[in-house]
Amino acid sequence: MKKIPLGLISLVLWAISASVFLYFFLSGNVSESIDGRVAIHLNSQEKNLVLTEMRGLLASVNGIVSALAEDDYKKAELAASASGMEMVKKLEDEEKTILLKLPIEFKKLGFGTHDQFDKIAEDLRQKKDTKSILKELDKLTQNCVRCHATYKIAF
């Protein structure tokens, strides 16, 4: 019987591990819920983190709308910036533990939403045109609607 080289065994085990990691990175820890949405399975601490972040996003949307109603573009810019990619950087250490549990499309929606907040903040600095800002805000809230229609957080 021929001996299998240790290097080959190591390579095969590495490839299997990488494949499992990639599978979970792309698909997440999900199942189909009874309402037809994708249930993302998180523990209570992870669920709290995601829901806290979502409340922050909603507070930013409210801050933008409220400030625009007062023609206060600086205040609206600050509200938008609060939920941009800077928010992601602040939560990076806490979120590392749940990234494997989130499906790739959820991640794309989330990062796209944070990018959209940054775009709105930049437009508020540059354009100061309420109508164009509202169009960008519409794109942003479509992400929110799509996410909530597609996903739910479950235990």
Side-chain angles (χ1 to χ4, degrees), residues 18-77:
S19 297
V20 169
F21 176 82
L22 184 60
Y23 171 79
F24 281 108
F25 182 80
L26 295 175
S27 63
N29 185 14
V30 299
S31 64
E32 187 174 333
S33 67
I34 59 173
D35 63 4
R37 294 184 292 164
V38 175
I40 301 172
H41 300 278
L42 303 175
N43 66 37
S44 59
Q45 183 179 357
E46 294 163 340
K47 179 180 179 178
N48 185 53
L49 178 65
V50 171
L51 296 180
T52 299
E53 183 177 350
M54 286 181 187
R55 285 189 297 273
L57 300 176
L58 185 57
S60 288
V61 169
N62 179 254
I64 295 166
V65 172
S66 175
L68 287 176
E70 299 169 7
D71 290 325
D72 189 340
Y73 289 89
K74 183 62 179 169
K75 188 175 175 183
E77 176 194 338

Short mmCIF file of all heavy atoms in Angstrom, two decimals, residues 18-77:
data_model
loop_
_atom_site.label_atom_id
_atom_site.label_comp_id
_atom_site.label_asym_id
_atom_site.label_seq_id
_atom_site.Cartn_x
_atom_site.Cartn_y
_atom_site.Cartn_z
N ALA A 18 -11.41 25.43 3.59
CA ALA A 18 -11.68 26.65 2.81
C ALA A 18 -13.05 26.56 2.14
O ALA A 18 -13.80 27.54 2.08
CB ALA A 18 -10.58 26.88 1.79
N SER A 19 -13.39 25.39 1.63
CA SER A 19 -14.69 25.21 0.98
C SER A 19 -15.84 25.39 1.96
O SER A 19 -16.85 26.01 1.64
CB SER A 19 -14.78 23.82 0.33
OG SER A 19 -13.82 23.69 -0.67
N VAL A 20 -15.69 24.82 3.15
CA VAL A 20 -16.73 24.96 4.18
C VAL A 20 -16.86 26.43 4.57
O VAL A 20 -17.97 26.97 4.66
CB VAL A 20 -16.41 24.08 5.41
CG1 VAL A 20 -17.31 24.41 6.60
CG2 VAL A 20 -16.53 22.61 5.04
N PHE A 21 -15.73 27.10 4.79
CA PHE A 21 -15.75 28.53 5.13
C PHE A 21 -16.44 29.32 4.03
O PHE A 21 -17.31 30.15 4.31
CB PHE A 21 -14.32 29.04 5.33
CG PHE A 21 -14.24 30.52 5.57
CD1 PHE A 21 -14.47 31.03 6.84
CD2 PHE A 21 -13.96 31.39 4.54
CE1 PHE A 21 -14.42 32.40 7.08
CE2 PHE A 21 -13.90 32.76 4.76
CZ PHE A 21 -14.13 33.26 6.03
N LEU A 22 -16.07 29.08 2.77
CA LEU A 22 -16.67 29.80 1.64
C LEU A 22 -18.17 29.54 1.56
O LEU A 22 -18.96 30.46 1.34
CB LEU A 22 -15.98 29.42 0.34
CG LEU A 22 -16.44 30.15 -0.91
CD1 LEU A 22 -16.20 31.66 -0.76
CD2 LEU A 22 -15.73 29.62 -2.13
N TYR A 23 -18.56 28.28 1.77
CA TYR A 23 -19.99 27.94 1.74
C TYR A 23 -20.76 28.76 2.76
O TYR A 23 -21.78 29.37 2.45
CB TYR A 23 -20.18 26.44 1.99
CG TYR A 23 -21.63 26.07 2.17
CD1 TYR A 23 -22.48 25.93 1.08
CD2 TYR A 23 -22.17 25.89 3.45
CE1 TYR A 23 -23.82 25.62 1.24
CE2 TYR A 23 -23.51 25.57 3.62
CZ TYR A 23 -24.32 25.44 2.53
OH TYR A 23 -25.65 25.14 2.70
N PHE A 24 -20.28 28.78 4.01
CA PHE A 24 -20.97 29.53 5.05
C PHE A 24 -20.89 31.04 4.81
O PHE A 24 -21.82 31.77 5.11
CB PHE A 24 -20.46 29.17 6.44
CG PHE A 24 -21.02 27.88 6.94
CD1 PHE A 24 -20.22 26.75 7.03
CD2 PHE A 24 -22.36 27.77 7.30
CE1 PHE A 24 -20.75 25.55 7.46
CE2 PHE A 24 -22.90 26.57 7.74
CZ PHE A 24 -22.08 25.45 7.82
N PHE A 25 -19.75 31.52 4.27
CA PHE A 25 -19.63 32.95 3.98
C PHE A 25 -20.66 33.38 2.95
O PHE A 25 -21.25 34.45 3.06
CB PHE A 25 -18.22 33.29 3.48
CG PHE A 25 -18.03 34.75 3.21
CD1 PHE A 25 -17.78 35.62 4.25
CD2 PHE A 25 -18.13 35.26 1.92
CE1 PHE A 25 -17.63 36.99 4.02
CE2 PHE A 25 -17.97 36.62 1.68
CZ PHE A 25 -17.71 37.48 2.73
N LEU A 26 -20.91 32.54 1.96
CA LEU A 26 -21.87 32.88 0.91
C LEU A 26 -23.31 32.63 1.32
O LEU A 26 -24.19 33.43 1.04
CB LEU A 26 -21.56 32.10 -0.37
CG LEU A 26 -20.23 32.43 -1.04
CD1 LEU A 26 -19.99 31.50 -2.22
CD2 LEU A 26 -20.18 33.88 -1.48
N SER A 27 -23.56 31.51 1.99
CA SER A 27 -24.95 31.14 2.28
C SER A 27 -25.42 31.56 3.66
O SER A 27 -26.61 31.79 3.87
CB SER A 27 -25.15 29.65 2.10
OG SER A 27 -24.37 28.93 3.04
N GLY A 28 -24.53 31.66 4.62
CA GLY A 28 -24.91 32.04 5.97
C GLY A 28 -25.58 30.90 6.72
O GLY A 28 -25.67 29.77 6.23
N ASN A 29 -26.07 31.22 7.90
CA ASN A 29 -26.77 30.25 8.74
C ASN A 29 -28.26 30.57 8.62
O ASN A 29 -28.82 31.33 9.41
CB ASN A 29 -26.30 30.37 10.19
CG ASN A 29 -26.89 29.31 11.08
OD1 ASN A 29 -27.46 28.32 10.61
ND2 ASN A 29 -26.78 29.51 12.38
N VAL A 30 -28.89 30.02 7.60
CA VAL A 30 -30.26 30.41 7.25
C VAL A 30 -31.17 29.21 7.05
O VAL A 30 -30.70 28.09 6.88
CB VAL A 30 -30.27 31.27 5.95
CG1 VAL A 30 -29.45 32.55 6.13
CG2 VAL A 30 -29.76 30.49 4.76
N SER A 31 -32.45 29.50 7.06
CA SER A 31 -33.47 28.53 6.68
C SER A 31 -34.66 29.32 6.14
O SER A 31 -34.69 30.55 6.25
CB SER A 31 -33.91 27.68 7.89
OG SER A 31 -34.53 28.50 8.86
N GLU A 32 -35.62 28.62 5.56
CA GLU A 32 -36.81 29.31 5.09
C GLU A 32 -37.81 29.40 6.24
O GLU A 32 -38.04 28.41 6.95
CB GLU A 32 -37.44 28.58 3.91
CG GLU A 32 -38.59 29.37 3.30
CD GLU A 32 -39.15 28.75 2.03
OE1 GLU A 32 -38.41 28.03 1.33
OE2 GLU A 32 -40.34 28.98 1.76
N SER A 33 -38.38 30.59 6.44
CA SER A 33 -39.36 30.74 7.52
C SER A 33 -40.76 30.47 6.98
O SER A 33 -40.97 30.42 5.77
CB SER A 33 -39.27 32.14 8.13
OG SER A 33 -39.68 33.11 7.19
N ILE A 34 -41.71 30.33 7.88
CA ILE A 34 -43.08 30.00 7.46
C ILE A 34 -43.73 31.13 6.67
O ILE A 34 -44.68 30.89 5.93
CB ILE A 34 -43.97 29.60 8.65
CG1 ILE A 34 -44.07 30.72 9.68
CG2 ILE A 34 -43.47 28.31 9.28
CD1 ILE A 34 -45.06 30.46 10.78
N ASP A 35 -43.21 32.35 6.79
CA ASP A 35 -43.78 33.45 6.01
C ASP A 35 -43.08 33.64 4.67
O ASP A 35 -43.33 34.61 3.96
CB ASP A 35 -43.77 34.76 6.82
CG ASP A 35 -42.37 35.25 7.17
OD1 ASP A 35 -41.38 34.64 6.74
OD2 ASP A 35 -42.28 36.28 7.89
N GLY A 36 -42.19 32.70 4.30
CA GLY A 36 -41.54 32.74 3.00
C GLY A 36 -40.25 33.55 2.95
O GLY A 36 -39.55 33.53 1.95
N ARG A 37 -39.94 34.26 4.04
CA ARG A 37 -38.69 35.00 4.07
C ARG A 37 -37.55 34.07 4.48
O ARG A 37 -37.78 32.96 4.95
CB ARG A 37 -38.78 36.17 5.06
CG ARG A 37 -39.78 37.23 4.62
CD ARG A 37 -39.79 38.42 5.54
NE ARG A 37 -40.32 38.05 6.86
CZ ARG A 37 -40.17 38.79 7.95
NH1 ARG A 37 -39.52 39.94 7.90
NH2 ARG A 37 -40.67 38.39 9.10
N VAL A 38 -36.35 34.55 4.31
CA VAL A 38 -35.17 33.81 4.74
C VAL A 38 -34.93 34.14 6.20
O VAL A 38 -34.79 35.31 6.57
CB VAL A 38 -33.94 34.19 3.89
CG1 VAL A 38 -32.69 33.50 4.41
CG2 VAL A 38 -34.17 33.87 2.42
N ALA A 39 -34.90 33.12 7.04
CA ALA A 39 -34.62 33.30 8.46
C ALA A 39 -33.12 33.19 8.68
O ALA A 39 -32.51 32.19 8.30
CB ALA A 39 -35.36 32.25 9.29
N ILE A 40 -32.53 34.24 9.23
CA ILE A 40 -31.12 34.24 9.57
C ILE A 40 -31.01 33.88 11.04
O ILE A 40 -31.58 34.57 11.89
CB ILE A 40 -30.48 35.61 9.29
CG1 ILE A 40 -30.64 35.99 7.82
CG2 ILE A 40 -29.01 35.61 9.69
CD1 ILE A 40 -30.22 37.41 7.50
N HIS A 41 -30.30 32.81 11.34
CA HIS A 41 -30.22 32.31 12.72
C HIS A 41 -29.03 32.94 13.45
O HIS A 41 -27.89 32.71 13.09
CB HIS A 41 -30.13 30.79 12.74
CG HIS A 41 -31.32 30.16 12.10
ND1 HIS A 41 -32.50 29.98 12.79
CD2 HIS A 41 -31.54 29.73 10.84
CE1 HIS A 41 -33.38 29.42 11.98
NE2 HIS A 41 -32.83 29.27 10.79
N LEU A 42 -29.35 33.74 14.45
CA LEU A 42 -28.36 34.41 15.27
C LEU A 42 -28.67 34.13 16.74
O LEU A 42 -29.81 33.84 17.08
CB LEU A 42 -28.40 35.93 15.05
CG LEU A 42 -28.20 36.44 13.62
CD1 LEU A 42 -28.39 37.95 13.56
CD2 LEU A 42 -26.82 36.06 13.09
N ASN A 43 -27.67 34.28 17.60
CA ASN A 43 -27.95 34.18 19.03
C ASN A 43 -28.51 35.52 19.50
O ASN A 43 -28.55 36.49 18.73
CB ASN A 43 -26.72 33.73 19.82
CG ASN A 43 -25.59 34.73 19.81
OD1 ASN A 43 -25.80 35.94 19.86
ND2 ASN A 43 -24.36 34.23 19.76
N SER A 44 -28.96 35.60 20.73
CA SER A 44 -29.63 36.82 21.20
C SER A 44 -28.73 38.04 21.17
O SER A 44 -29.18 39.14 20.83
CB SER A 44 -30.22 36.62 22.60
OG SER A 44 -29.20 36.28 23.51
N GLN A 45 -27.45 37.88 21.48
CA GLN A 45 -26.52 39.02 21.45
C GLN A 45 -26.32 39.51 20.01
O GLN A 45 -26.30 40.72 19.76
CB GLN A 45 -25.19 38.61 22.07
CG GLN A 45 -24.18 39.74 22.16
CD GLN A 45 -22.88 39.28 22.81
OE1 GLN A 45 -22.73 38.14 23.24
NE2 GLN A 45 -21.92 40.18 22.86
N GLU A 46 -26.17 38.59 19.08
CA GLU A 46 -26.00 38.96 17.67
C GLU A 46 -27.26 39.61 17.12
O GLU A 46 -27.19 40.61 16.39
CB GLU A 46 -25.66 37.71 16.86
CG GLU A 46 -24.32 37.09 17.21
CD GLU A 46 -24.16 35.66 16.73
OE1 GLU A 46 -25.17 34.98 16.45
OE2 GLU A 46 -23.00 35.22 16.64
N LYS A 47 -28.41 39.07 17.48
CA LYS A 47 -29.68 39.64 17.05
C LYS A 47 -29.81 41.07 17.57
O LYS A 47 -30.19 41.98 16.83
CB LYS A 47 -30.85 38.79 17.55
CG LYS A 47 -32.21 39.34 17.17
CD LYS A 47 -33.34 38.46 17.68
CE LYS A 47 -34.67 39.06 17.31
NZ LYS A 47 -35.80 38.22 17.75
N ASN A 48 -29.46 41.28 18.81
CA ASN A 48 -29.52 42.61 19.41
C ASN A 48 -28.62 43.59 18.66
O ASN A 48 -29.00 44.74 18.40
CB ASN A 48 -29.15 42.57 20.89
CG ASN A 48 -29.32 43.90 21.56
OD1 ASN A 48 -30.38 44.52 21.49
ND2 ASN A 48 -28.26 44.37 22.19
N LEU A 49 -27.43 43.14 18.27
CA LEU A 49 -26.50 44.00 17.53
C LEU A 49 -27.09 44.42 16.18
O LEU A 49 -27.07 45.60 15.83
CB LEU A 49 -25.16 43.28 17.32
CG LEU A 49 -24.12 44.05 16.51
CD1 LEU A 49 -23.68 45.31 17.24
CD2 LEU A 49 -22.93 43.16 16.21
N VAL A 50 -27.64 43.44 15.44
CA VAL A 50 -28.23 43.74 14.13
C VAL A 50 -29.42 44.69 14.28
O VAL A 50 -29.54 45.68 13.54
CB VAL A 50 -28.65 42.44 13.40
CG1 VAL A 50 -29.44 42.76 12.14
CG2 VAL A 50 -27.41 41.61 13.05
N LEU A 51 -30.28 44.42 15.24
CA LEU A 51 -31.46 45.27 15.42
C LEU A 51 -31.09 46.67 15.91
O LEU A 51 -31.71 47.66 15.51
CB LEU A 51 -32.46 44.61 16.37
CG LEU A 51 -33.06 43.29 15.87
CD1 LEU A 51 -34.03 42.72 16.90
CD2 LEU A 51 -33.75 43.47 14.53
N THR A 52 -30.06 46.77 16.74
CA THR A 52 -29.58 48.08 17.18
C THR A 52 -29.05 48.87 15.99
O THR A 52 -29.32 50.08 15.86
CB THR A 52 -28.48 47.93 18.26
OG1 THR A 52 -29.05 47.25 19.38
CG2 THR A 52 -27.93 49.27 18.71
N GLU A 53 -28.31 48.20 15.12
CA GLU A 53 -27.80 48.87 13.92
C GLU A 53 -28.95 49.34 13.04
O GLU A 53 -28.94 50.46 12.53
CB GLU A 53 -26.89 47.92 13.13
CG GLU A 53 -26.27 48.56 11.92
CD GLU A 53 -25.30 47.64 11.18
OE1 GLU A 53 -24.96 46.55 11.70
OE2 GLU A 53 -24.88 48.01 10.08
N MET A 54 -29.97 48.50 12.87
CA MET A 54 -31.12 48.89 12.04
C MET A 54 -31.85 50.09 12.63
O MET A 54 -32.30 50.98 11.90
CB MET A 54 -32.07 47.71 11.87
CG MET A 54 -31.56 46.65 10.94
SD MET A 54 -32.79 45.33 10.80
CE MET A 54 -31.86 44.15 9.84
N ARG A 55 -31.99 50.13 13.95
CA ARG A 55 -32.62 51.29 14.58
C ARG A 55 -31.80 52.55 14.34
O ARG A 55 -32.34 53.64 14.14
CB ARG A 55 -32.84 51.05 16.08
CG ARG A 55 -33.99 50.09 16.37
CD ARG A 55 -34.34 50.03 17.85
NE ARG A 55 -33.26 49.52 18.68
CZ ARG A 55 -33.04 48.22 18.93
NH1 ARG A 55 -33.83 47.31 18.41
NH2 ARG A 55 -32.04 47.86 19.72
N GLY A 56 -30.47 52.41 14.32
CA GLY A 56 -29.59 53.53 14.01
C GLY A 56 -29.80 54.02 12.58
O GLY A 56 -29.81 55.24 12.33
N LEU A 57 -29.98 53.09 11.65
CA LEU A 57 -30.25 53.47 10.26
C LEU A 57 -31.56 54.24 10.16
O LEU A 57 -31.65 55.28 9.48
CB LEU A 57 -30.30 52.23 9.36
CG LEU A 57 -29.05 51.36 9.30
CD1 LEU A 57 -29.30 50.13 8.43
CD2 LEU A 57 -27.85 52.12 8.81
N LEU A 58 -32.58 53.75 10.84
CA LEU A 58 -33.87 54.43 10.82
C LEU A 58 -33.79 55.81 11.47
O LEU A 58 -34.37 56.77 10.96
CB LEU A 58 -34.93 53.57 11.52
CG LEU A 58 -36.36 54.11 11.48
CD1 LEU A 58 -36.84 54.33 10.05
CD2 LEU A 58 -37.29 53.16 12.22
N ALA A 59 -33.04 55.93 12.55
CA ALA A 59 -32.85 57.23 13.19
C ALA A 59 -32.16 58.21 12.24
O ALA A 59 -32.49 59.40 12.19
CB ALA A 59 -32.05 57.08 14.48
N SER A 60 -31.20 57.71 11.45
CA SER A 60 -30.54 58.56 10.46
C SER A 60 -31.50 59.03 9.38
O SER A 60 -31.49 60.20 8.99
CB SER A 60 -29.34 57.84 9.83
OG SER A 60 -28.29 57.73 10.75
N VAL A 61 -32.33 58.11 8.88
CA VAL A 61 -33.33 58.50 7.88
C VAL A 61 -34.23 59.59 8.45
O VAL A 61 -34.49 60.61 7.81
CB VAL A 61 -34.16 57.29 7.41
CG1 VAL A 61 -35.36 57.73 6.57
CG2 VAL A 61 -33.29 56.32 6.62
N ASN A 62 -34.70 59.38 9.68
CA ASN A 62 -35.55 60.38 10.33
C ASN A 62 -34.81 61.70 10.48
O ASN A 62 -35.39 62.77 10.24
CB ASN A 62 -36.02 59.85 11.68
CG ASN A 62 -36.89 60.86 12.39
OD1 ASN A 62 -36.45 61.49 13.35
ND2 ASN A 62 -38.11 61.03 11.92
N GLY A 63 -33.55 61.66 10.87
CA GLY A 63 -32.76 62.88 11.03
C GLY A 63 -32.59 63.63 9.71
O GLY A 63 -32.64 64.87 9.67
N ILE A 64 -32.39 62.89 8.62
CA ILE A 64 -32.25 63.52 7.30
C ILE A 64 -33.56 64.21 6.91
O ILE A 64 -33.56 65.39 6.52
CB ILE A 64 -31.87 62.47 6.22
CG1 ILE A 64 -30.49 61.91 6.50
CG2 ILE A 64 -31.94 63.09 4.82
CD1 ILE A 64 -30.17 60.64 5.70
N VAL A 65 -34.66 63.50 7.03
CA VAL A 65 -35.97 64.05 6.65
C VAL A 65 -36.31 65.27 7.50
O VAL A 65 -36.73 66.31 6.99
CB VAL A 65 -37.07 62.97 6.74
CG1 VAL A 65 -38.45 63.57 6.55
CG2 VAL A 65 -36.82 61.86 5.72
N SER A 66 -36.11 65.15 8.81
CA SER A 66 -36.40 66.25 9.73
C SER A 66 -35.56 67.48 9.39
O SER A 66 -36.07 68.61 9.35
CB SER A 66 -36.13 65.79 11.16
OG SER A 66 -36.29 66.84 12.06
N ALA A 67 -34.27 67.28 9.15
CA ALA A 67 -33.38 68.40 8.83
C ALA A 67 -33.72 69.03 7.48
O ALA A 67 -33.68 70.26 7.34
CB ALA A 67 -31.93 67.94 8.86
N LEU A 68 -34.06 68.19 6.50
CA LEU A 68 -34.45 68.74 5.20
C LEU A 68 -35.71 69.59 5.30
O LEU A 68 -35.85 70.61 4.61
CB LEU A 68 -34.65 67.62 4.17
CG LEU A 68 -33.39 66.94 3.66
CD1 LEU A 68 -33.76 65.79 2.72
CD2 LEU A 68 -32.46 67.92 2.96
N ALA A 69 -36.63 69.19 6.17
CA ALA A 69 -37.86 69.97 6.37
C ALA A 69 -37.55 71.36 6.92
O ALA A 69 -38.32 72.30 6.72
CB ALA A 69 -38.81 69.23 7.30
N GLU A 70 -36.39 71.48 7.58
CA GLU A 70 -35.96 72.77 8.14
C GLU A 70 -34.92 73.45 7.26
O GLU A 70 -34.34 74.47 7.65
CB GLU A 70 -35.35 72.54 9.54
CG GLU A 70 -36.30 71.95 10.54
CD GLU A 70 -35.59 71.50 11.81
OE1 GLU A 70 -34.37 71.77 11.99
OE2 GLU A 70 -36.26 70.88 12.66
N ASP A 71 -34.64 72.89 6.08
CA ASP A 71 -33.58 73.38 5.19
C ASP A 71 -32.23 73.44 5.89
O ASP A 71 -31.41 74.31 5.60
CB ASP A 71 -33.94 74.76 4.60
CG ASP A 71 -35.07 74.67 3.59
OD1 ASP A 71 -35.15 73.66 2.86
OD2 ASP A 71 -35.86 75.62 3.52
N ASP A 72 -31.99 72.51 6.80
CA ASP A 72 -30.72 72.46 7.53
C ASP A 72 -29.88 71.33 6.93
O ASP A 72 -29.90 70.20 7.39
CB ASP A 72 -30.98 72.22 9.02
CG ASP A 72 -29.73 72.36 9.86
OD1 ASP A 72 -28.61 72.26 9.30
OD2 ASP A 72 -29.87 72.55 11.09
N TYR A 73 -29.13 71.68 5.89
CA TYR A 73 -28.37 70.68 5.16
C TYR A 73 -27.20 70.12 5.97
O TYR A 73 -26.84 68.96 5.82
CB TYR A 73 -27.87 71.26 3.82
CG TYR A 73 -29.01 71.44 2.85
CD1 TYR A 73 -29.73 72.64 2.81
CD2 TYR A 73 -29.39 70.42 1.99
CE1 TYR A 73 -30.79 72.80 1.93
CE2 TYR A 73 -30.45 70.57 1.11
CZ TYR A 73 -31.15 71.76 1.09
OH TYR A 73 -32.20 71.91 0.24
N LYS A 74 -26.62 70.93 6.82
CA LYS A 74 -25.51 70.45 7.66
C LYS A 74 -26.01 69.39 8.65
O LYS A 74 -25.39 68.34 8.83
CB LYS A 74 -24.88 71.62 8.42
CG LYS A 74 -23.68 71.22 9.25
CD LYS A 74 -22.55 70.66 8.38
CE LYS A 74 -21.35 70.26 9.21
NZ LYS A 74 -20.38 69.49 8.45
N LYS A 75 -27.16 69.65 9.26
CA LYS A 75 -27.75 68.69 10.20
C LYS A 75 -28.12 67.39 9.46
O LYS A 75 -27.91 66.29 9.97
CB LYS A 75 -28.97 69.31 10.86
CG LYS A 75 -29.57 68.52 11.99
CD LYS A 75 -30.70 69.31 12.63
CE LYS A 75 -31.43 68.52 13.69
NZ LYS A 75 -32.57 69.28 14.25
N ALA A 76 -28.64 67.52 8.25
CA ALA A 76 -29.00 66.35 7.45
C ALA A 76 -27.75 65.56 7.07
O ALA A 76 -27.75 64.32 7.11
CB ALA A 76 -29.76 66.78 6.19
N GLU A 77 -26.68 66.27 6.74
CA GLU A 77 -25.42 65.61 6.39
C GLU A 77 -24.88 64.81 7.58
O GLU A 77 -24.42 63.68 7.43
CB GLU A 77 -24.38 66.65 5.97
CG GLU A 77 -23.03 66.08 5.68
CD GLU A 77 -21.95 67.14 5.59
OE1 GLU A 77 -22.25 68.32 5.33
OE2 GLU A 77 -20.79 66.77 5.82
#
